[in-house]
Amino acid sequence: MINLQKCENVFKEKFNQGDYRIFFSPGRINLIGEHTDYNGGNVFPCAITFGTYAIAQKNNDGIVRVYSMNFEEKGIIEFSLEDLDYKKNDDWANYPKGMIRYLIEDGYGINSGMDILFYGNIPNGAGLSSSASIELATGVVLEGLFNLEINRIDLVRVGKRVENNFIGVNSGIMDQFAIGMGKASNGILLDCQTLEYSYAPIKLSNHNIIIMNTNKRRELADSKYNERRSECEEALSRLQKETKIISLGELTEESFEKYKNVIDNDILIKRAKHAVYENVRTIKALKELKQGNLLAFGKLMNESHISLRDDYEVTGKELDTLAEAAWKQPGVVGARMTGAGFGGCAIAIVEKEHTDNFINEVGRIYKEAIGYEAAFYVANIGDGAREITQEVV
Ligand code: GLA
């Protein structure tokens, strides 16, 4: 992993050093409540201390120059404030470009060019929201350099608009919200229908949260993701023939069982069942956590994975291998995939003293079954996107 000093040196090398400032935007894990955000349900994510560093300064020539230490081969990508259209060739730089464009459209005074270096220590494509992390990193850079006062939830919404309308991925609001609103040592219970939220301390006492990376890129992720979304929309519109709901998140398990037959399609019933049950599970999980019942919380995490595997069908062999191997290890409270699925990462809550053994065993089983290695990191729950003066740990 590259340290901040090295990033500053590269910044000075790439851009003539002026008066730069440093920002950090986290990645996120979702503890429970998966594929519920775009179904008007609840999610329970948190920001982590892995994320994206951004070093930035204004320049005087109306040109935005961005450089990523994760995509060195792309070099410095430049665009003018006069032309902020999406361009395929601009590759990852479309994320910062989209943020600049939409904030200008919203009337914020961004009136000069700038130089920004990005470095992310979350692997991209690992399902820890590297893209939302870059969006919010750009957001706080712009706030800082141009003295903008942007309501944080508005900034979160701009990030989502960039993802949906500029980049073209039809994702929900969870990632940007977790990254924009994260708070150290806390999870965020967010009702994605109303955007009401509350923080809940994650008291793990003698446990770690371990991130398990399949190292499988989420290649089909975007198309399959959009497919699941439309399956849920179709199920909802069929249910609306019998009920007055505006989202699947409004149904209880009982009302779902009562009305499900109007959906009249086995696949769609399974998809909607996941959305409804997972939403209920999320509320239950939070209740258990608040009462200090970590074991009960972990059991709900396991059930969440099973539902994502069997009903929502977004796990795949790699994530199943990790979660199922994790369940069998001593000291494990619970394990599940996190994020969109189809590769990416899973998480497990593991007793600290069993952590080394856990990583060795799950790693061994994974390599044997899949043929290449998984990667493991201990996650710390950190604050949301912000200006910083020192490295984030
Ligand atoms: C991705 C999306 C989120 C959410 C999750 C699944 O991370 O960006 O909006 O839908 O998948 O819970």
CSV table of all heavy atoms in Angstrom, one decimal, residues 273-317:
chain,number,residue,atom,x,y,z
A,273,LYS,N,-39.5,-11.5,-2.8
A,273,LYS,CA,-39.4,-12.1,-1.5
A,273,LYS,C,-38.1,-11.7,-0.8
A,273,LYS,O,-38.1,-11.3,0.3
A,273,LYS,CB,-39.5,-13.6,-1.6
A,273,LYS,CG,-39.4,-14.3,-0.2
A,273,LYS,CD,-39.5,-15.8,-0.2
A,273,LYS,CE,-39.3,-16.3,1.2
A,273,LYS,NZ,-38.9,-17.7,1.3
A,274,HIS,N,-37.0,-11.7,-1.6
A,274,HIS,CA,-35.8,-11.3,-1.0
A,274,HIS,C,-35.9,-9.8,-0.5
A,274,HIS,O,-35.5,-9.5,0.6
A,274,HIS,CB,-34.6,-11.4,-1.9
A,274,HIS,CG,-33.4,-10.7,-1.4
A,274,HIS,ND1,-32.6,-11.2,-0.4
A,274,HIS,CD2,-32.9,-9.4,-1.7
A,274,HIS,CE1,-31.7,-10.3,-0.1
A,274,HIS,NE2,-31.8,-9.2,-0.9
A,275,ALA,N,-36.4,-9.0,-1.4
A,275,ALA,CA,-36.4,-7.5,-1.1
A,275,ALA,C,-37.2,-7.3,0.2
A,275,ALA,O,-36.8,-6.6,1.1
A,275,ALA,CB,-37.0,-6.8,-2.2
A,276,VAL,N,-38.4,-8.0,0.3
A,276,VAL,CA,-39.2,-7.8,1.5
A,276,VAL,C,-38.6,-8.4,2.8
A,276,VAL,O,-38.5,-7.7,3.8
A,276,VAL,CB,-40.6,-8.5,1.3
A,276,VAL,CG1,-41.5,-8.5,2.5
A,276,VAL,CG2,-41.4,-7.8,0.1
A,277,TYR,N,-38.2,-9.7,2.7
A,277,TYR,CA,-37.6,-10.3,3.9
A,277,TYR,C,-36.3,-9.7,4.3
A,277,TYR,O,-36.0,-9.6,5.5
A,277,TYR,CB,-37.4,-11.8,3.6
A,277,TYR,CG,-38.7,-12.7,3.8
A,277,TYR,CD1,-39.8,-12.5,2.9
A,277,TYR,CD2,-38.8,-13.6,4.7
A,277,TYR,CE1,-40.9,-13.2,3.1
A,277,TYR,CE2,-39.9,-14.4,4.9
A,277,TYR,CZ,-41.0,-14.2,4.0
A,277,TYR,OH,-42.1,-14.9,4.2
A,278,GLU,N,-35.5,-9.3,3.4
A,278,GLU,CA,-34.2,-8.6,3.7
A,278,GLU,C,-34.4,-7.3,4.4
A,278,GLU,O,-33.7,-7.0,5.4
A,278,GLU,CB,-33.4,-8.4,2.4
A,278,GLU,CG,-32.0,-7.7,2.7
A,278,GLU,CD,-30.9,-8.7,3.3
A,278,GLU,OE1,-31.3,-9.8,3.6
A,278,GLU,OE2,-29.8,-8.2,3.4
A,279,ASN,N,-35.5,-6.6,4.0
A,279,ASN,CA,-35.8,-5.3,4.7
A,279,ASN,C,-36.2,-5.6,6.1
A,279,ASN,O,-35.7,-4.9,7.0
A,279,ASN,CB,-36.9,-4.6,3.9
A,279,ASN,CG,-37.2,-3.3,4.5
A,279,ASN,OD1,-36.3,-2.6,4.9
A,279,ASN,ND2,-38.5,-3.0,4.5
A,280,VAL,N,-37.1,-6.6,6.3
A,280,VAL,CA,-37.5,-6.9,7.7
A,280,VAL,C,-36.3,-7.4,8.5
A,280,VAL,O,-36.1,-7.0,9.6
A,280,VAL,CB,-38.6,-8.0,7.6
A,280,VAL,CG1,-39.0,-8.5,9.0
A,280,VAL,CG2,-39.8,-7.5,6.8
A,281,ARG,N,-35.5,-8.2,7.9
A,281,ARG,CA,-34.3,-8.7,8.6
A,281,ARG,C,-33.4,-7.5,9.0
A,281,ARG,O,-32.7,-7.6,10.1
A,281,ARG,CB,-33.5,-9.6,7.6
A,281,ARG,CG,-33.0,-10.8,8.2
A,281,ARG,CD,-32.3,-11.8,7.2
A,281,ARG,NE,-32.4,-11.5,5.8
A,281,ARG,CZ,-33.1,-12.3,5.0
A,281,ARG,NH1,-33.8,-13.3,5.4
A,281,ARG,NH2,-33.1,-12.0,3.7
A,282,THR,N,-33.3,-6.5,8.2
A,282,THR,CA,-32.4,-5.4,8.6
A,282,THR,C,-32.9,-4.7,9.8
A,282,THR,O,-32.1,-4.4,10.7
A,282,THR,CB,-32.3,-4.4,7.4
A,282,THR,OG1,-31.9,-5.2,6.2
A,282,THR,CG2,-31.4,-3.3,7.6
A,283,ILE,N,-34.2,-4.5,9.9
A,283,ILE,CA,-34.7,-3.9,11.1
A,283,ILE,C,-34.5,-4.8,12.4
A,283,ILE,O,-34.1,-4.3,13.4
A,283,ILE,CB,-36.3,-3.6,11.0
A,283,ILE,CG1,-36.5,-2.9,9.7
A,283,ILE,CG2,-36.9,-3.0,12.2
A,283,ILE,CD1,-36.2,-1.4,9.7
A,284,LYS,N,-34.8,-6.1,12.1
A,284,LYS,CA,-34.5,-7.0,13.2
A,284,LYS,C,-33.1,-7.0,13.7
A,284,LYS,O,-32.8,-7.0,14.9
A,284,LYS,CB,-34.8,-8.5,12.8
A,284,LYS,CG,-36.3,-8.9,12.7
A,284,LYS,CD,-36.3,-10.4,12.5
A,284,LYS,CE,-37.7,-10.8,12.0
A,284,LYS,NZ,-37.7,-12.0,11.2
A,285,ALA,N,-32.2,-7.0,12.7
A,285,ALA,CA,-30.7,-7.0,13.0
A,285,ALA,C,-30.3,-5.8,13.8
A,285,ALA,O,-29.6,-6.0,14.8
A,285,ALA,CB,-29.9,-7.1,11.7
A,286,LEU,N,-30.8,-4.7,13.5
A,286,LEU,CA,-30.5,-3.5,14.2
A,286,LEU,C,-31.0,-3.6,15.7
A,286,LEU,O,-30.3,-3.2,16.6
A,286,LEU,CB,-31.1,-2.2,13.6
A,286,LEU,CG,-30.5,-1.0,14.2
A,286,LEU,CD1,-29.1,-0.7,13.6
A,286,LEU,CD2,-31.3,0.2,14.0
A,287,LYS,N,-32.2,-4.1,15.8
A,287,LYS,CA,-32.7,-4.3,17.2
A,287,LYS,C,-31.8,-5.2,18.0
A,287,LYS,O,-31.5,-4.9,19.2
A,287,LYS,CB,-34.1,-4.9,17.0
A,287,LYS,CG,-35.0,-4.6,18.2
A,287,LYS,CD,-36.5,-4.9,17.8
A,287,LYS,CE,-37.2,-5.5,19.0
A,287,LYS,NZ,-38.2,-6.4,18.7
A,288,GLU,N,-31.4,-6.3,17.4
A,288,GLU,CA,-30.5,-7.2,18.1
A,288,GLU,C,-29.2,-6.5,18.5
A,288,GLU,O,-28.7,-6.7,19.6
A,288,GLU,CB,-30.2,-8.5,17.3
A,288,GLU,CG,-31.4,-9.3,16.9
A,288,GLU,CD,-32.0,-10.0,18.1
A,288,GLU,OE1,-31.5,-9.9,19.2
A,288,GLU,OE2,-33.1,-10.7,17.9
A,289,LEU,N,-28.6,-5.8,17.5
A,289,LEU,CA,-27.4,-5.1,17.8
A,289,LEU,C,-27.5,-4.1,19.0
A,289,LEU,O,-26.6,-4.1,19.8
A,289,LEU,CB,-26.9,-4.4,16.5
A,289,LEU,CG,-25.5,-3.8,16.5
A,289,LEU,CD1,-24.5,-5.0,16.4
A,289,LEU,CD2,-25.3,-2.8,15.4
A,290,LYS,N,-28.6,-3.4,18.9
A,290,LYS,CA,-28.8,-2.4,20.0
A,290,LYS,C,-28.9,-3.1,21.4
A,290,LYS,O,-28.6,-2.5,22.4
A,290,LYS,CB,-30.0,-1.6,19.7
A,290,LYS,CG,-29.8,-0.5,18.7
A,290,LYS,CD,-30.9,0.5,18.6
A,290,LYS,CE,-30.5,1.7,17.7
A,290,LYS,NZ,-31.6,2.3,17.1
A,291,GLN,N,-29.4,-4.3,21.4
A,291,GLN,CA,-29.6,-5.0,22.6
A,291,GLN,C,-28.3,-5.8,23.0
A,291,GLN,O,-28.3,-6.6,23.9
A,291,GLN,CB,-30.7,-6.0,22.6
A,291,GLN,CG,-32.1,-5.2,22.6
A,291,GLN,CD,-33.3,-6.1,22.3
A,291,GLN,OE1,-33.1,-7.3,22.1
A,291,GLN,NE2,-34.4,-5.5,22.3
A,292,GLY,N,-27.3,-5.6,22.2
A,292,GLY,CA,-26.0,-6.3,22.4
A,292,GLY,C,-26.0,-7.8,22.0
A,292,GLY,O,-25.1,-8.5,22.5
A,293,ASN,N,-27.0,-8.2,21.2
A,293,ASN,CA,-27.0,-9.6,20.8
A,293,ASN,C,-26.3,-9.9,19.5
A,293,ASN,O,-26.8,-10.1,18.5
A,293,ASN,CB,-28.5,-10.1,20.7
A,293,ASN,CG,-29.3,-10.0,21.9
A,293,ASN,OD1,-28.7,-10.0,23.0
A,293,ASN,ND2,-30.6,-9.7,21.8
A,294,LEU,N,-24.9,-9.9,19.6
A,294,LEU,CA,-24.1,-10.0,18.4
A,294,LEU,C,-24.4,-11.3,17.7
A,294,LEU,O,-24.4,-11.4,16.5
A,294,LEU,CB,-22.7,-9.8,18.8
A,294,LEU,CG,-21.7,-9.4,17.7
A,294,LEU,CD1,-22.2,-8.1,17.0
A,294,LEU,CD2,-20.3,-9.3,18.2
A,295,LEU,N,-24.6,-12.4,18.5
A,295,LEU,CA,-24.8,-13.7,17.9
A,295,LEU,C,-26.1,-13.7,17.0
A,295,LEU,O,-26.1,-14.2,15.9
A,295,LEU,CB,-24.9,-14.8,18.9
A,295,LEU,CG,-23.6,-15.3,19.4
A,295,LEU,CD1,-23.8,-16.3,20.6
A,295,LEU,CD2,-22.8,-16.0,18.3
A,296,ALA,N,-27.1,-13.1,17.5
A,296,ALA,CA,-28.4,-13.0,16.8
A,296,ALA,C,-28.2,-12.1,15.5
A,296,ALA,O,-28.7,-12.5,14.5
A,296,ALA,CB,-29.5,-12.5,17.7
A,297,PHE,N,-27.4,-11.1,15.7
A,297,PHE,CA,-27.1,-10.2,14.5
A,297,PHE,C,-26.4,-11.0,13.4
A,297,PHE,O,-26.7,-11.0,12.3
A,297,PHE,CB,-26.2,-9.1,15.0
A,297,PHE,CG,-25.9,-8.1,13.9
A,297,PHE,CD1,-26.8,-7.0,13.6
A,297,PHE,CD2,-24.7,-8.1,13.1
A,297,PHE,CE1,-26.6,-6.1,12.6
A,297,PHE,CE2,-24.5,-7.2,12.1
A,297,PHE,CZ,-25.4,-6.2,11.9
A,298,GLY,N,-25.4,-11.8,13.9
A,298,GLY,CA,-24.6,-12.7,12.9
A,298,GLY,C,-25.5,-13.7,12.2
A,298,GLY,O,-25.4,-13.9,11.0
A,299,LYS,N,-26.5,-14.2,13.0
A,299,LYS,CA,-27.3,-15.2,12.4
A,299,LYS,C,-28.2,-14.6,11.2
A,299,LYS,O,-28.4,-15.2,10.2
A,299,LYS,CB,-28.2,-15.8,13.5
A,299,LYS,CG,-28.9,-17.1,13.1
A,299,LYS,CD,-29.4,-17.8,14.3
A,299,LYS,CE,-30.5,-18.8,13.9
A,299,LYS,NZ,-31.8,-18.3,13.8
A,300,LEU,N,-28.6,-13.4,11.5
A,300,LEU,CA,-29.4,-12.7,10.4
A,300,LEU,C,-28.5,-12.3,9.2
A,300,LEU,O,-28.9,-12.4,8.1
A,300,LEU,CB,-30.0,-11.4,11.0
A,300,LEU,CG,-31.1,-11.7,12.0
A,300,LEU,CD1,-31.4,-10.5,12.9
A,300,LEU,CD2,-32.4,-12.1,11.3
A,301,MET,N,-27.2,-12.1,9.5
A,301,MET,CA,-26.3,-11.9,8.4
A,301,MET,C,-26.2,-13.2,7.5
A,301,MET,O,-26.2,-13.1,6.3
A,301,MET,CB,-24.8,-11.6,8.9
A,301,MET,CG,-24.6,-10.3,9.5
A,301,MET,SD,-22.9,-10.1,10.2
A,301,MET,CE,-21.9,-10.0,8.7
A,302,ASN,N,-26.1,-14.3,8.2
A,302,ASN,CA,-26.1,-15.6,7.4
A,302,ASN,C,-27.4,-15.8,6.6
A,302,ASN,O,-27.3,-16.2,5.4
A,302,ASN,CB,-25.9,-16.8,8.4
A,302,ASN,CG,-24.6,-16.7,9.2
A,302,ASN,OD1,-23.8,-15.9,8.9
A,302,ASN,ND2,-24.5,-17.6,10.2
A,303,GLU,N,-28.5,-15.5,7.2
A,303,GLU,CA,-29.8,-15.6,6.5
A,303,GLU,C,-29.8,-14.7,5.3
A,303,GLU,O,-30.4,-15.0,4.3
A,303,GLU,CB,-30.9,-15.3,7.5
A,303,GLU,CG,-31.2,-16.5,8.4
A,303,GLU,CD,-32.3,-16.1,9.5
A,303,GLU,OE1,-33.0,-15.1,9.3
A,303,GLU,OE2,-32.3,-16.8,10.5
A,304,SER,N,-29.2,-13.5,5.5
A,304,SER,CA,-29.2,-12.6,4.4
A,304,SER,C,-28.4,-13.2,3.2
A,304,SER,O,-28.9,-13.1,2.0
A,304,SER,CB,-28.5,-11.3,4.9
A,304,SER,OG,-28.1,-10.5,3.8
A,305,HIS,N,-27.3,-13.8,3.5
A,305,HIS,CA,-26.5,-14.4,2.4
A,305,HIS,C,-27.3,-15.5,1.7
A,305,HIS,O,-27.3,-15.6,0.5
A,305,HIS,CB,-25.2,-14.9,2.9
A,305,HIS,CG,-24.3,-15.4,1.8
A,305,HIS,ND1,-23.4,-14.6,1.2
A,305,HIS,CD2,-24.3,-16.6,1.2
A,305,HIS,CE1,-22.8,-15.3,0.2
A,305,HIS,NE2,-23.3,-16.5,0.2
A,306,ILE,N,-28.0,-16.3,2.5
A,306,ILE,CA,-28.7,-17.4,1.9
A,306,ILE,C,-29.8,-16.9,1.0
A,306,ILE,O,-30.0,-17.4,-0.1
A,306,ILE,CB,-29.3,-18.3,3.0
A,306,ILE,CG1,-28.1,-19.0,3.7
A,306,ILE,CG2,-30.3,-19.3,2.5
A,306,ILE,CD1,-28.4,-19.7,5.0
A,307,SER,N,-30.5,-15.8,1.4
A,307,SER,CA,-31.5,-15.3,0.6
A,307,SER,C,-30.9,-14.6,-0.7
A,307,SER,O,-31.5,-14.8,-1.8
A,307,SER,CB,-32.2,-14.2,1.5
A,307,SER,OG,-33.2,-13.5,0.7
A,308,LEU,N,-29.8,-14.0,-0.6
A,308,LEU,CA,-29.1,-13.5,-1.8
A,308,LEU,C,-28.6,-14.6,-2.7
A,308,LEU,O,-28.6,-14.4,-3.9
A,308,LEU,CB,-27.9,-12.6,-1.3
A,308,LEU,CG,-28.4,-11.3,-0.7
A,308,LEU,CD1,-27.3,-10.7,0.2
A,308,LEU,CD2,-28.7,-10.2,-1.7
A,309,ARG,N,-28.3,-15.7,-2.1
A,309,ARG,CA,-27.8,-16.8,-2.9
A,309,ARG,C,-29.0,-17.6,-3.6
A,309,ARG,O,-29.0,-17.8,-4.8
A,309,ARG,CB,-27.1,-17.8,-2.0
A,309,ARG,CG,-26.5,-19.0,-2.6
A,309,ARG,CD,-26.0,-20.1,-1.6
A,309,ARG,NE,-27.1,-20.7,-0.9
A,309,ARG,CZ,-27.0,-21.4,0.2
A,309,ARG,NH1,-25.8,-21.7,0.7
A,309,ARG,NH2,-28.1,-22.0,0.8
A,310,ASP,N,-30.1,-17.8,-2.8
A,310,ASP,CA,-31.1,-18.7,-3.3
A,310,ASP,C,-32.3,-17.9,-4.0
A,310,ASP,O,-32.8,-18.4,-5.0
A,310,ASP,CB,-31.7,-19.6,-2.2
A,310,ASP,CG,-30.6,-20.5,-1.6
A,310,ASP,OD1,-29.6,-20.6,-2.3
A,310,ASP,OD2,-30.9,-21.0,-0.5
A,311,ASP,N,-32.6,-16.8,-3.4
A,311,ASP,CA,-33.8,-16.1,-4.0
A,311,ASP,C,-33.4,-15.0,-4.9
A,311,ASP,O,-34.0,-14.7,-5.9
A,311,ASP,CB,-34.7,-15.5,-2.8
A,311,ASP,CG,-35.4,-16.6,-2.1
A,311,ASP,OD1,-35.6,-17.7,-2.8
A,311,ASP,OD2,-35.8,-16.4,-0.9
A,312,TYR,N,-32.4,-14.2,-4.6
A,312,TYR,CA,-32.0,-13.1,-5.4
A,312,TYR,C,-31.0,-13.5,-6.4
A,312,TYR,O,-30.8,-12.8,-7.5
A,312,TYR,CB,-31.5,-11.9,-4.5
A,312,TYR,CG,-32.0,-10.6,-5.0
A,312,TYR,CD1,-33.3,-10.3,-5.1
A,312,TYR,CD2,-31.1,-9.6,-5.5
A,312,TYR,CE1,-33.8,-9.1,-5.6
A,312,TYR,CE2,-31.5,-8.4,-6.0
A,312,TYR,CZ,-32.8,-8.1,-6.0
A,312,TYR,OH,-33.3,-6.9,-6.5
A,313,GLU,N,-30.2,-14.6,-6.2
A,313,GLU,CA,-29.3,-15.1,-7.1
A,313,GLU,C,-28.2,-14.1,-7.6
A,313,GLU,O,-28.1,-13.9,-8.8
A,313,GLU,CB,-30.0,-15.8,-8.3
A,313,GLU,CG,-30.8,-17.0,-7.7
A,313,GLU,CD,-31.5,-17.8,-8.8
A,313,GLU,OE1,-32.6,-17.3,-9.2
A,313,GLU,OE2,-31.0,-18.8,-9.3
A,314,VAL,N,-27.5,-13.5,-6.6
A,314,VAL,CA,-26.5,-12.5,-7.0
A,314,VAL,C,-25.1,-12.9,-6.4
A,314,VAL,O,-24.2,-12.1,-6.3
A,314,VAL,CB,-26.9,-11.1,-6.6
A,314,VAL,CG1,-28.0,-10.6,-7.4
A,314,VAL,CG2,-27.2,-11.0,-5.1
A,315,THR,N,-25.0,-14.1,-5.8
A,315,THR,CA,-23.8,-14.4,-5.1
A,315,THR,C,-22.7,-15.0,-6.1
A,315,THR,O,-21.7,-14.4,-6.3
A,315,THR,CB,-24.0,-15.3,-3.9
A,315,THR,OG1,-24.7,-16.5,-4.4
A,315,THR,CG2,-24.8,-14.6,-2.9
A,316,GLY,N,-23.0,-16.2,-6.6
A,316,GLY,CA,-22.0,-16.9,-7.4
A,316,GLY,C,-21.1,-17.8,-6.5
A,316,GLY,O,-21.0,-17.6,-5.3
A,317,LYS,N,-20.3,-18.6,-7.2
A,317,LYS,CA,-19.5,-19.6,-6.6
A,317,LYS,C,-18.5,-19.0,-5.6
A,317,LYS,O,-18.2,-19.5,-4.5
A,317,LYS,CB,-18.8,-20.4,-7.7
A,317,LYS,CG,-18.1,-21.7,-7.1
A,317,LYS,CD,-17.6,-22.6,-8.2
A,317,LYS,CE,-16.8,-23.7,-7.6
A,317,LYS,NZ,-15.7,-24.2,-8.4
